[in-house]
């Protein structure tokens, strides 16, 4: 009785206390509308990123230069589809439907990771996506595996495990091409680094001082580290490994700071970042068009699936009714 | 194994490998573009299985000839490929892809069923290992053909159009190589004529039950695996372009 009359403030206090105790919030639990809204936004953006992320790498499956690389790349892009699938399911636990989420993607309302609006120009780009893009994603996702919302957190644990594999595959290729490759392979690798390094650093999002959603996300235990903290961790981990291969990171200001023990980067081109976020990146139009086209081309297929399902339900009306506990009224 | 048998066996293995490689390539073109996300996953899986089979046949071929599988896949010209035209045709729409895969799966399951009891042990063992994958493929593609055939007017029309186009090409799978009868006599491979009958017994009633009409034309456009459509040239240009940047490079 008392519980039913609890004011929203009390519910909020209890909700925040649960998060403070490190408990997970589960689908049926009370949660503030804003928590639900933020999660649907983040999880669906993340799902869309996986789905759009299939495109730049998928484009290289037909060109993979050995039977083994072809197999590995197919498996990798398949994993991205799988991640999209469980993230859409995680968003569904919050009341969103896949149809409305896809609709938001296709109409350009929903965002996805801007990094996928850059083109993959050579085979080495596939390797750099593995090392840098998946590496940066892992930083973010390892944090999100601690997130307060149970289904999101559990999806992240699984996704991180697979992404770690992708990261190793990408790195293995770069190490091979940079250390024992032909001059063409070495040039391809350096060219890829020149293009992928700057946008990878943008993947962590705006500086903390500019990040509008960060405060509430940290308060509710969805994010546990800031954009700048994650970015710096990534830089500190990857810079020495890349330099050890004799590759040059495209940043004249990059230097090691003895006092903080950190690698300090030069300024990030935030104008470019916002341009791409606003839809003006090199591949925004093409990526969206490819997704819209796949969806449109698949419409008649989905209609056929629905038609047959409907036929099955009507043909088996009494069986279905019985199974779901209704008395069959049709004669 | 005498030289005549070995020679025809290597040709047979190459034909098997090329069929699977080219089909896997075609299916993989869908990854990222399938009608539903679940099918990006499923078709990627089927493509990987077929590519895995290609690898197996290439490796068996290698044990007899010493030819490197990557060398064969990436440095032969179209005229040197021994796949049937059936697998090289562009992927078309979803009905075309699913129907081709269904017809191929039905063939491959029957083939592997027989090959696993063949007298050439390395081949028999490899077949026994991968045979079960085909059961899953066939289950998956059969359910799609049922959905598409019985679904809507449009899906039926598209699937029928795919069947009309693919049916003569599908018969190419049952054309033996010149000299293949030696392998049949040695009980290394099954008789393709008999395999064809079993295949027809299986697919005809199934397709009919899916409200599809079996085309009357059953004559394959060519019986020769050295003849290819221009589609194979285009496919290979895509497939081989990175590998051919530098012949010395290891990828």
């Amino acid at each position: 009785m008392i519980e039913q009359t609890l004011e929203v403030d009390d519910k909020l206090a209890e909700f925040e206390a649960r998060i403070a105790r490190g408990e997970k919030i589960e689908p049926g639990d009370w949660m503030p509308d804003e928590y639900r809204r933020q999660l649907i936004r983040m999880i669906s953006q993340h799902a869309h990123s996986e789905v759009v992320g299939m495109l730049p790498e998928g484009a290289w499956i037909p060109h993979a230069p050995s039977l083994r690389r072809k197999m590995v790349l197919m498996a990798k892009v398949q994993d991205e589809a799988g991640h999209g699938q469980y993230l859409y399911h995680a968003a569904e636990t919050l009341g969103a439907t896949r149809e409305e989420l896809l609709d938001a993607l296709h109409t350009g309302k929903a965002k996805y990771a801007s990094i996928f609006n850059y083109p993959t120009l050579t085979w080495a780009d596939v390797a750099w996506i593995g090392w840098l893009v998946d590496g940066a994603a892992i930083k973010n996702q390892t944090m999100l595996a601690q997130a307060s919302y149970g289904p999101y957190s559990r999806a992240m644990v699984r996704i991180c495990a697979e992404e770690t594999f992708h990261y190793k595959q990408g790195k293995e290729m770069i190490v091979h091409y940079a250390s024992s490759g032909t001059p063409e392979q070495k040039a391809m690798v350096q060219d890829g680094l020149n293009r992928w390094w700057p946008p990878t650093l943008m993947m962590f999002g705006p500086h903390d001082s500019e990040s509008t959603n960060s405060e509430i996300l940290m308060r509710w235990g969805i994010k546990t580290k800031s954009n700048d903290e994650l970015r710096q961790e990534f830089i500190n981990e990857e810079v020495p490994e890349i330099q050890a291969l004799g590759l040059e990171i495209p940043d004249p200001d990059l230097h090691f700071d003895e006092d903080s023990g950190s690698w300090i980067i030069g300024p990030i081109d935030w104008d470019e970042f916002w341009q791409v976020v606003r839809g003006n990146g090199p591949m925004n139009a093409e990526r969206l068009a490819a997704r819209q086209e796949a969806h449109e081309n698949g419409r008649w297929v989905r209609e056929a699936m629905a038609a047959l399902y409907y036929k099955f339900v009507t043909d088996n009306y009494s069986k279905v009714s019985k199974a779901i506990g209704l008395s069959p009224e049709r004669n | 194994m005498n030289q005549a048998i070995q020679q025809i066996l290597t040709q047979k293995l190459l034909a098997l490998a090329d069929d699977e490689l080219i089909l896997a390539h075609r299916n993989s073109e869908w990854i990222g573009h399938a009608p539903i996300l679940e099918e990006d996953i499923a078709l990627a899986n089927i493509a990987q299985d077929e590519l895995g089979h290609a690898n197996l046949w290439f490796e068996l071929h290698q044990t007899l000839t010493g030819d490197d599988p990557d060398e064969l896949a990436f440095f032969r010209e179209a005229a040197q490929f021994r796949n049937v035209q059936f697998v090289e045709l562009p992927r078309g729409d979803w009905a075309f892809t699913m129907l081709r895969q269904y017809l191929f799966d039905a063939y491959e399951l029957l083939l592997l069923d027989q090959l696993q009891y063949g007298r050439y042990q390395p081949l028999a063992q490899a077949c026994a290992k991968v045979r079960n994958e085909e059961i899953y493929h066939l289950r998956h593609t059969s359910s799609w053909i049922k959905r598409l055939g019985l679904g809507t007017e449009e899906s039926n029309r598209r699937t029928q159009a795919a069947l009309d186009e693919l049916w003569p090409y599908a018969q190419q799978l049952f054309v033996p190589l010149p000299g293949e009868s030696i392998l049949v006599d040695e009980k290394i491979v099954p008789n393709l004529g008999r395999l064809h009958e079993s295949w027809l017994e299986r697919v005809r009633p199934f397709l009919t039950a899916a409200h599809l009409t079996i085309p009357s034309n059953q004559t394959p456009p060519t019986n020769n695996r050295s003849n290819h459509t221009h589609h194979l040239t285009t496919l290979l240009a895509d497939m081989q372009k990175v590998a051919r940047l530098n012949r010395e490079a290891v990828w």
Side-chain angles (χ1 to χ4, degrees):
Chain A
M1 291 295 266
I2 295 169
E3 274 152 25
Q4 282 169 3
T5 57
L6 273 182
E7 296 298 326
V8 170
D9 281 354
D10 296 331
K11 286 184 178 171
L12 183 62
E14 169 56 16
F15 169 82
E16 292 190 341
R18 287 185 63 194
I19 290 174
R21 288 195 298 269
E23 282 176 36
K24 295 287 182 219
I25 306 301
E26 295 298 337
D29 298 351
W30 185 89
M31 61 185 78
D33 290 344
E34 179 61 8
Y35 179 82
R36 187 185 300 274
R37 195 185 70 82
Q38 288 284 359
L39 275 170
I40 292 176
R41 179 187 67 82
M42 278 181 76
I43 298 173
S44 64
Q45 273 186 20
H46 193 163
H48 298 328
S49 302
E50 300 283 356
V51 168
V52 177
M54 289 195 280
L55 299 171
E57 290 182 279
W60 286 87
I61 293 174
H63 316 305
S66 74
L67 295 171
R68 177 172 156 252
R69 294 290 182 211
K70 202 176 183 71
M71 183 77 92
V72 168
L73 188 55
M74 277 190 215
K76 184 188 169 180
V77 181
Q78 181 190 27
D79 285 348
E80 312 296 356
H83 299 172
Q85 195 194 24
Y86 23 99
L87 287 163
Y88 283 127
H89 287 320
E92 282 165 3
T93 66
L94 292 157
T97 68
R98 184 160 341 162
E99 288 70 25
E100 70 193 30
L101 296 176
L102 285 178
D103 193 55
L105 172 67
H106 296 143
T107 54
K109 265 186 262 165
K111 298 268 181 278
Y112 55 86
S114 279
I115 193 76
F116 298 121
N117 289 320
Y118 289 83
T120 39
L121 302 179
T122 74
W123 172 252
D125 288 7
V126 169
W128 280 121
I129 289 182
W131 185 344
L132 296 180
V133 175
D134 293 338
I138 290 167
K139 282 263 134 225
N140 203 29
Q141 291 165 358
T142 306
M143 169 190 75
L144 291 170
Q146 312 295 319
S148 54
Y149 187 57
Y152 195 25
S153 146
R154 289 187 289 271
M156 280 304 129
V157 171
R158 197 162 156 189
I159 289 173
C160 275
E162 292 182 3
E163 290 295 349
T164 304
F165 213 58
H166 301 165
Y167 169 81
K168 285 180 185 164
Q169 287 162 350
K171 193 185 266 191
E172 183 254 329
M173 276 197 266
I174 298 291
V175 169
H176 173 70
Y177 303 153
S179 55
S180 52
T182 63
E184 292 94 333
Q185 287 173 316
K186 286 182 182 169
M188 201 184 257
V189 162
Q190 180 64 55
D191 164 66
L193 178 60
N194 295 346
R195 287 180 291 107
W196 289 96
W197 178 259
T200 298
L201 298 184
M202 298 175 196
M203 280 179 71
F204 295 94
H207 285 309
D208 298 345
S209 52
E210 309 282 326
S211 179
T212 48
N213 292 313
S214 279
E215 196 191 325
I216 191 105
L217 295 178
M218 292 187 72
R219 175 166 159 200
W220 285 338
I222 299 173
K223 284 176 73 165
T224 51
K225 286 178 182 175
S226 76
N227 294 352
D228 285 329
E229 275 177 84
L230 287 171
R231 183 166 22 237
Q232 191 61 51
E233 281 181 18
F234 175 81
I235 292 166
N236 287 349
E237 283 166 29
E238 306 304 345
V239 165
E241 296 217 30
I242 294 170
Q243 288 182 336
L245 295 170
L247 295 168
E248 197 180 330
I249 292 171
D251 178 353
D253 298 327
L254 181 72
H255 64 277
F256 188 71
D257 179 60
E258 295 287 349
D259 294 342
S260 60
S262 276
W263 286 90
I264 308 300
I265 56 166
I268 289 173
D269 183 353
W270 293 112
D271 288 343
E272 178 180 315
F273 173 77
W274 290 113
Q275 278 298 318
V276 182
V277 169
R278 289 189 189 111
N280 303 317
M283 296 293 282
N284 293 62
E286 203 170 327
R287 298 290 185 236
L288 199 55
R291 286 313 313 162
Q292 287 163 342
E293 198 189 333
H295 194 71
E296 273 312 304
N297 288 344
R299 184 177 299 280
W300 68 269
V301 180
R302 293 189 300 276
E303 282 168 3
M305 288 172 69
L308 196 65
Y309 179 70
Y310 178 75
K311 235 178 266 179
F312 170 81
V313 173
T314 46
D315 290 354
N316 296 280
Y317 184 78
S318 52
K319 261 193 264 171
V320 172
S321 305
K322 204 174 157 196
I324 60 174
L326 290 173
S327 57
E329 285 159 20
R330 221 174 52 155
N331 48 7
Chain B
M1 193 186 306
N2 78 38
Q3 216 178 350
I5 296 174
Q6 178 157 337
Q7 198 185 1
I8 184 72
L9 180 58
T10 56
Q11 288 171 22
K12 181 71 183 174
L13 288 168
L14 193 60
L16 290 171
D18 285 349
D19 280 351
E20 306 254 21
L21 171 63
I22 302 301
L23 186 59
H25 182 97
R26 280 295 183 221
N27 286 335
S28 76
E29 292 171 347
W30 278 100
I31 306 173
H33 308 274
I36 49 170
L37 195 50
E38 282 69 14
E39 281 305 309
D40 287 294
I41 300 171
L43 200 53
N45 217 80
I46 291 176
Q48 286 167 70
D49 286 347
E50 306 296 20
L51 187 62
H53 301 173
N55 237 331
L56 276 177
W57 314 144
F58 277 133
E59 282 168 5
L60 288 171
H61 183 271
Q62 187 177 25
T63 61
L64 297 172
T65 61
D67 293 341
D68 174 55
D70 280 323
E71 191 74 15
L72 289 174
F74 295 96
F75 291 96
R76 272 182 301 158
E77 302 303 321
Q80 296 169 291
F81 272 76
R82 293 293 173 265
N83 59 281
V84 285
Q85 294 173 332
F86 174 68
V87 294
E88 75 198 31
L89 299 175
R91 70 181 197 262
D93 63 8
W94 188 249
F96 190 92
T97 289
M98 279 298 115
L99 186 71
R100 171 163 59 188
Q101 188 62 40
Y102 163 74
L103 295 172
F104 189 84
D105 291 336
Y107 147 81
E108 200 184 359
L109 182 57
L110 290 167
L111 178 73
L112 294 177
D113 267 344
Q114 302 275 318
L115 280 176
Q116 65 179 336
Y117 301 113
R119 282 209 190 142
Y120 181 57
Q121 278 308 308
L123 179 58
Q125 283 162 3
C127 292
K129 212 167 79 181
V130 299
R131 179 199 169 265
N132 285 356
E133 290 172 9
E134 287 306 317
I135 296 176
Y136 291 106
H137 294 186
L138 192 59
R139 202 176 284 169
H140 190 75
T141 48
S142 306
S143 59
W144 267 109
I145 297 308
K146 209 160 81 181
R147 272 184 211 125
L148 298 177
L150 305 177
T152 61
E153 218 171 286
E154 182 178 8
S155 69
N156 179 277
R157 176 172 54 72
R158 285 172 178 271
T159 314
Q160 184 63 52
L163 183 59
D164 292 343
E165 188 178 348
L166 281 166
W167 188 252
Y169 283 101
Q171 316 306 319
Q172 293 176 328
L173 293 165
F174 304 97
V175 178
L177 297 174
E180 188 171 321
S181 57
I182 308 178
L183 299 180
V184 178
D185 293 344
E186 291 292 322
K187 299 198 166 33
I188 292 173
V189 303
N191 178 313
L192 279 181
R194 243 172 268 145
L195 201 76
H196 193 198
E197 284 165 28
S198 315
W199 180 79
L200 287 170
E201 276 167 28
R202 177 160 203 165
V203 302
R204 267 195 179 135
F206 176 78
L207 292 171
T208 307
H211 292 185
L212 298 165
T213 310
I214 311 288
S216 51
N217 177 16
Q218 205 168 293
T219 313
T222 174
N223 278 339
N224 186 339
R225 282 175 175 257
S226 305
N227 293 341
H228 295 287
T229 65
H230 68 280
H231 302 300
L232 182 64
T233 313
T234 322
L235 182 153
L236 292 179
D238 265 350
M239 192 172 91
Q240 299 174 333
K241 77 172 195 183
V242 178
R244 289 186 175 207
L245 287 176
N246 180 339
R247 191 154 185 139
E248 305 310 312
V250 177
W251 295 97

